[in-house]
Amino acid sequence: MNKKNRAFLKWAGGKFKLVDTLKTYLPDGDRLVEPFVGAGSVFLNTHYSKYLLCDINQDLINLYKIIQKQPELYIKESRKLFCEKMNAKEAYYDIRTQFNATKDPFERSIYFLYMNRHGFNGLCRYNRTGGFNVPFGSYKKPYFPEIELNAFSEKAQVAEFECIGYEKAFEQAKSGDVIYCDPPYAPLSTTASFTTYVGAGFTLDDQALLARVSRHVARDKNIPVVISNHDIPLTRELYHGARLGKIQVQRNISQKGNGRKKVNELIALYDKDYHFDDE
């Protein structure tokens, strides 16, 4: 049994625990296209010849490109912030201020990993003006993911990273590709909406548009598309006609301990067997 590779970033909604099940839904192909790459657990634990990994978070994509091309320098410099004196509230907020003030991609990437490991719950969240605003996490000894960084860099040699939205990612898909979408999830209820990590958010209209684009790409380009989302009446309606699967998953977004419970996750597959009669 192959050892699973963990992402070096902590990530809300990360797919590490689900990747073995997800892989049973992913068809064979030459290249995997991920319009919402996130922390990259699916990328790290699948075996396609090539990858196109996309996200609208420029900091995330810059970080991945740097680790792809300069892993040794990045590890050397980022390790310096993982020490006892930097694991303090004052130090964290100082780094956060510096991150929000600089535009240098390498410097922002160093700070990004530090804040991901020292910030609350590994969240990635920005305010309306683009400032990172996750509070300090108060962890005893944040882990420096050197092993995971090296593994990511090695695997990234067969990947291309693009800071683009999902529609443009779909446009780049070609024959032989497989598309896996892990979008910001539809809220379980009106009170459970999680503020998305970048920009103005992923609306219910976006959810509907993603489903529509997926159907059309599967039909018109014969490219299979897999989407994961919460299993709720809305998503079952949006993905009507696709082949559906269900997984139970632990959700840890809530700050309250009793809010961390198992929920059902829906996996939708659009492929040549999708029923297009109602289009």
Side-chain angles (χ1 to χ4, degrees):
M1 189 175 187
N2 292 332
K3 180 179 179 293
K4 286 168 67 176
N5 295 307
R6 284 191 177 275
F8 65 87
L9 292 171
K10 297 165 69 176
W11 207 255
K15 290 296 177 287
F16 179 76
K17 293 180 180 179
L18 300 182
V19 72
D20 288 336
T21 305
L22 272 172
K23 286 193 293 186
T24 66
Y25 291 90
L26 290 171
D28 294 331
D30 299 323
R31 183 176 70 161
L32 182 67
V33 177
E34 290 196 61
F36 309 87
V37 65
S41 288
V42 175
F43 155 63
L44 289 167
N45 291 286
T46 50
H47 303 284
Y48 293 88
S49 299
K50 295 180 181 179
Y51 294 83
L52 173 60
L53 306 175
C54 309
D55 205 281
I56 58 171
N57 186 326
Q58 187 70 66
D59 290 317
L60 187 68
I61 296 301
N62 284 342
L63 169 61
Y64 288 164
K65 287 181 177 179
I66 287 168
I67 294 169
Q68 180 186 46
K69 297 171 183 174
Q70 300 174 277
E72 292 181 3
L73 178 60
Y74 180 81
I75 289 171
K76 175 186 174 184
E77 295 302 317
S78 57
R79 185 193 284 114
K80 294 176 182 178
L81 296 180
F82 284 73
C83 59
E84 188 175 353
K85 73 174 183 177
M86 295 304 295
N87 188 26
K89 185 180 293 187
E90 297 78 10
Y92 176 85
Y93 288 117
D94 182 53
I95 290 293
R96 197 178 75 174
T97 298
Q98 292 182 58
F99 173 86
N100 288 331
T102 185
K103 294 183 179 180
D104 179 76
F106 191 87
E107 193 173 7
R108 287 179 70 90
S109 293
I110 296 290
Y111 296 156
F112 191 91
L113 177 61
Y114 166 83
M115 293 188 299
N116 175 262
R117 287 282 167 178
H118 291 76
F120 179 75
N121 258 12
L123 295 178
C124 182
R125 188 183 65 199
Y126 301 78
N127 61 27
R128 292 183 181 277
T129 60
F132 192 88
N133 65 356
V134 176
F136 183 57
S138 297
Y139 299 108
K140 187 174 181 180
K141 188 178 181 181
Y143 172 66
F144 180 65
E146 182 170 357
I147 294 171
E148 292 82 358
L149 284 163
N150 277 313
F152 189 99
S153 178
E154 183 178 346
K155 185 75 182 282
Q157 301 313 306
V158 296
E160 179 183 358
F161 299 97
E162 296 242 14
C163 183
I164 53 177
Y166 68 90
E167 290 180 271
K168 289 186 177 179
F170 271 83
E171 289 173 6
Q172 294 194 27
K174 58 190 179 183
S175 178
D177 286 349
V178 174
I179 301 174
Y180 169 60
C181 295
D182 184 27
Y185 279 15
L188 288 168
S189 68
T190 54
T191 60
S193 182
F194 170 62
T195 303
T196 138
Y197 70 95
V198 66
F202 201 78
T203 66
L204 295 182
D205 285 343
D206 288 314
Q207 299 283 357
L209 181 58
L210 173 62
R212 181 174 182 271
V213 171
S214 299
R215 291 195 299 270
H216 288 186
V217 166
R219 180 187 65 190
D220 300 338
K221 292 187 174 183
N222 195 27
I223 297 172
V225 182
V226 177
I227 309 176
S228 53
N229 213 317
H230 281 142
D231 185 3
I232 55 176
L234 170 69
T235 54
R236 284 188 172 266
E237 177 62 29
L238 288 178
Y239 307 145
H240 175 73
R243 288 195 275 165
L244 302 177
K246 184 169 69 174
I247 314 172
Q248 265 208 337
V249 58
Q250 189 85 27
R251 277 282 167 250
N252 295 318
I253 295 298
S254 174
Q255 295 184 34
K256 299 178 181 178
N258 60 9
R260 304 185 176 200
K261 57 185 180 181
K262 287 189 175 181
V263 297
N264 288 328
E265 187 155 314
L266 194 65
I267 309 296
L269 169 61
Y270 295 98
D271 61 5
K272 57 184 176 58
D273 296 323
Y274 172 72
H275 301 294
F276 295 107
D277 299 342
D278 59 349
E279 286 289 282

